[in-house]
Amino acid sequence: MTVGEEATDLSRVEIRTGRLRRMWEGTSIIFASRTATIGLIIVLFWLTVAAFAPLLTPYTSLEQDWKAPNQGPSSAHFLGTDELGRDLWSRLIYGARIVLLVLPISEKLWIPGGTALWGVFAALIVGMTLGLVSGYYGGWIDEIVMRLLDAMMAVPVILLYLIIMTALGASALNVVIAVTIVGTPGIARLVRSLTLDIRTREYIRASETRGESAWYIMFVEILPNARGPIIVDAMLRVGYAIFAMGTLGFLGLGLPPPSPDWGSMVAKGQEFILAGSPWAALWPSVAIASLVVGLNLLADGLREESMRYQ
Amino acid sequence: MAKFIVRRVFLLLLTMVLVSMAVFLITEASPGNVARNVLGAFVTPEQEASFLAQMGLDKPVYIRYLYWLIGSDWHASRKVGLPLKRITTEKDFEEWWAVREDGALIRWKLQGEDLIAIVRFADGTATEYTNNERWQKDKAGVSSFWGVATQNHVVRLEKGSDKKIWTFVVGTGWMETTGGPVEYIPLKKGFIRGDPGLSLRTGRPVAKSLFIRLRNSMVLAGIAFVIVMPLALFFGVIAGLKEGGIRDRILSIGGMMFSVIPEFVTGIFLILIFGVWLGLVPGATVFGEKAPWERPDMLVLPVLTLTLIELGYVLRITRASMVEVMRSPYIRTAFLKGLPYWRIVLKHAVRNALMAPITVIMLHVNWLMGGIVIVEVVFGYPGLGKYLLESALYKDINALEAGAMILVIVAVGTQLIADIIYTFLNPRIRYM
Amino acid sequence: MNKSNHTNPASVLEVDHLTIAYETRKGDVEAVRNVSFQVREGETVGLVGESGCGKSTIAFGIVNFLGPNGRVVDGSVCFQGKELIGRSEAELKRLRGDRIAMVYQDPMQALNPSVRLGEQLAEVLTCHQQISEDEAWDRSIQMLKRVNMPDPENVMIRYPHQISGGQQQRVVIAMAMLNNPALLIMDEPTTALDVTVEAAVLDLIEELKKDFRAANIFITHNLGVVARVSDHLCVMYAGQMVEKGPVEQVFRRPCHPYTMGLLASIPRLGDTKADCVLHPIRGRVPPPAERPRDECIFAPRCNYVTERCREAWPKFEKITQEHVARCIYAQEIDSRPRTVRRRPGGAKDEGLVQKETRGDSLLSFKELKIYYPQESNSVVSLFGLGEKKIVKAVDDVSVRLSKGRTLGIVGESGCGKSTLAKGLIGLEPITDGSVEFLGIDITQSVSERDTALIREMQMVFQNPDSTLNPTYSIGMQIARPIRKFKTVPKNQVKNEVIRLLKAVRLDDFYYDRLPRQLSGGEKQRVGIARALASRPDLIICDEPVSALDVSVQAAVINLLLEIQEIYGSSMIFIAHDLSVVRFFSDDIAVMYLGQIVEIGPAEVIYAPPYHPYTEALLSAVPIPDPEAEQRQIRLSGNVPSALNPPSGCRFHTRCPRRNELLPDGGKICETEVPPWRSTETGHRILCHIPLEDLSRLDSVVHLSG
């Protein structure tokens, strides 16, 4: 019943056309929603501290101070120290790097793009392809792909993680693989349902009557129009991936020690809670919680706002 | 409808087969093995090989999978040439015996060069006699014999092979003996016949410990479920009534926070708040075997953690569904019919709004199980999840498989139930 | 329909200077401005206008149900002498559903899917009256009987999805009438229905008006429907009422340029491209936020506009006692040059029509069958066992299309006309039969066809909102087929695109625009340009104008005609609107349940002899002329399922003629497939009734003037 949302800005169209305008629209949509703005601020905070970690702390994540284990916040150690006297703030922000900025493949080789991001990215690639193929072709291809994915989805996630991580061993790359395997079915399902919807549109029929190849129709005609929900979903999934990383770390299946992995920091710190030093468990918990909540606020706000645009 | 259920059951079977195969293959492919995990890093290669052989782990993976799935007794029985039978003794041990041609139960052991048969009577007593006539000579002139040994194995004994074996006895350590069997087939009935085998880690039957652990987990999940469902559905409906209202904002942001923060983080927060700073309840749980009833106060935090997570999730789903229903034209119709507000909500909105969440919530059981594992680890609660984690870490294949199967059954089973409930709630499917 | 019989019946509703605004992010936007009208007992006021003109907003404004962001800014709504604006929600609730009832556009959406129909009906009674559940139930059954619902007791315990669309609308109407309301508001009540069902529902509405004497407000965009049901007519444009008056007067002598434009832009049943020109209204409806306040709202699109029109907001000019128009020239507009519909000198000399059927066959298909399997619900089907259910979407259809001619295909939804088009273009596998296009067999799917062949057959689609890919600019989308088929050298693609844009009357700055910046009509033009890009011999138009507003329809139809004239393309024109098809086509095929039941040159299809189904269709078409006479032939029952079509003649279950014109009450129709009966004019009818008998039937429609 709302009138006039769709055609109000014709006059401005001439001024700003094309890519720039669309990019502006994309970002302005975030600030239109208070929820999304708060989420963005939290996420940006973590991105910033991760990017400038060496400038923000005098310690490295591994430096041990034997004289001061399990300390509370002090002037020397902003957030306190863990059981080996390592600075918690340093471990926290270097941990954020692993989550958001770099993927440590081996001790020497670090590639850009955080562990969580790589996991989601890989799951997106695999899931999108499966979903597009399955949704566009339909028939027995769809049947087979979907039954397999159903079977995968029927397996409790924790079991998948357990099996994958015990098989592959604890490492950042294996965390990526685990997140990919667990995330793929969900993305495939989403993309499939979007594809099923979009392929009934007449522009798809138009390209079919032109005799376009299935590849062209799937990736050029369908995929760009499914991007909105996929982007929102991907953001939520980065949240899940951080969730999963934390959980795996907590179970001792994540990054091997002494990496500043948030989950394993919590697991180690928990042992000392009852001994009277809660800090080592508290701070990484706060970090995980805030980052995950931030991402979800951002995604929720975006989704709400883009719904209102339609 | 019937088609639907049949489909689901197919899916369940397919999933179970795939998962069980995957578990076997992955455990096989991964480095390390149960011998190292159980025996420690200082085991000699001979000891390790002997241990693996006794466990039947030296066989190719497909044989082990088949044994695990449909049992090994039928195969072993063909080797022995006599039917095999599993009995439960007066002391509640399970023992395998061969059934002699005359119906008596019989087992064998090797004493020097002699094959000794043990015959068991109905009252539990047994006699022994030399039974060398069962030796069989093969072409190379080696005498060998397949029979049931005393430790629930079917074994191949070889005359004069003098094979050294090491047996690991908990408490005493390694015992080295000679004249042992050259080949083992551990006897079991197989998973589909209700026997998941022995735990490689503890040597006890998986089924028994699993049952206790499953019960413990069910108690935890059950209490949480009973608390969560009414609360979450109620608050979800309330939040969805007026989209964007103040109640909606608070409930949905709160729900979101609870549902996206990992369980262990919530658990830590709760321990810090209620266990450490307020000191209301114990911050850790130390349960004995009589868990969970011996210390109900220790249950509070685990249940609370689980409750918060699930509450947030279900609330969010219900709210989204309710919002959609309240926007629909038939609710507008109801308003324009002049019906009282609460009649519209209760009769026209809630029913439609609760239909969608039921399937989604049941799908969520998958995640719930993950939550239970974490909560059990955080609070040291002796449930299925912890059992599973330990089995996975030890590569205790029998326990891992059995636990995995139970999880899959629960997961797919709840989905099946959800589908059935959904069909009953939704007339569009019911009256096709 | 003549209301002067009753001496001034009591006024039920008076709407006075009503202004309604919606709150948006950019401030308040007026959706309805200063609207006044009144409705009397036993009288129907039709609110007519194109989409976005605010007619539904008025309906919801009357009951003050405008949603969270809408509100009445000014004016009054007086119901039975009492002011409704500013009343409390509780008081309004007492009126809604009791004294004021509503009927909505999409009955499936309006009914709660998970509550039995009986409960939904009875609760209207129990919540407004002191009445027991049982009595409410009984009275609901009686009301269902009153709205001619077959088997009402059974319907009461059913769910909405178990009955057909027409029956659902009857339930909604029954629900509205239960409390014998003083005012009944109907918002596009028949728009979602097929023509024959629509006609029956309109009959019912007419009957109920006579019996219950409620005051009716009938909202629609369809001039034909409004001409048929209303006594009074209010024409809405861009949130304002531009003309109102008794329906005959408004249709006979429209005095606002917009009303005149609307009437000039739709073909009336029987008009053809040979003897008539449609006059579209130029430009587009201004969006609510950009409507000028102090000048005539229609000025930018008006053919008679002068400087005076922009000086002030025009007042209502009186033409007769009851007939007013918001145009300063309303009095004299009649004497100004009027839009002439008739082409001078009739048709014969026009190049548009080739009377002689040219021998060159472009496309011909014989005994074409398109079946597809239906997913079954039984357990055995999982194992590939059991009986496979087959939907016979197109069954045994043969047509031949000559070069340069237009074949119109009409039929109600589900008759297989779209499937037929998909089959021809190669998107739906053809089960059996032969199809020849340019002398080449094209029974294979589009992916197996030769590129040279593909480019000769292109399609124009129905829905302007989905015909273009929202991601890419207009230029890219038109350029794609040019590149693919290499119609021009690579460096000239952009020029070619601009040439095509010009050909569909769009400026070259559309090149960089995105589809969402275009109006429906513009999108449809781009769709046509895209189809033209490969320079095809045959264009299949699948309902190209049915989703467009009336004033835009004419422009698109004219464009298609023009293109045909310039490029000489042949066309297949699929539509459900008989007037449009008649206007556009040289030959027409009428489809029912996957079969063609009648085919021939356009002019003979619309005159006796008719196939009984065509006859019923023609009798159901709403004609935008209150003085036109139509014989009333209504079809009984629902369209049978294509899964299990009736034996013999597929139409026998609903045929109104076989009883009277065939011996034995037409037993033969139930068992034997009817023969084709043809005349020498190339007119063929699939019917058991002999042509002579069919020819004796009276013409269905008699137009005035």
Side-chain angles (χ1 to χ4, degrees), chain A residues 2 14 202 212 220-221 225, chain C residues 463 469 471-472 480 513:
Chain A
T2 43
E14 271 83 12
E202 285 167 354
E212 300 284 5
V220 182
E221 298 273 357
N225 292 305
Chain C
N463 188 345
N469 191 328
T471 308
Y472 303 110
R480 176 69 196 175
R513 293 215 170 155

Side-chain angles (χ1 to χ4, degrees), chain C residues 37 100 123 144 356 425 476 497 511 554 676 696:
Chain C
F37 64 97
I100 304 176
E123 70 181 358
L144 283 181
E356 301 82 2
I425 210 113
M476 282 170 77
V497 172
Y511 188 90
W676 278 107
R696 271 198 293 277

Side-chain angles (χ1 to χ4, degrees), chain B residues 317 354-363 417-419 421-422 425:
Chain B
I317 299 284
L354 292 189
M355 246 172 336
I358 280 175
T359 38
V360 185
I361 290 164
M362 287 298 191
L363 272 175
I417 294 169
D419 288 333
I421 295 177
Y422 183 73
L425 279 180

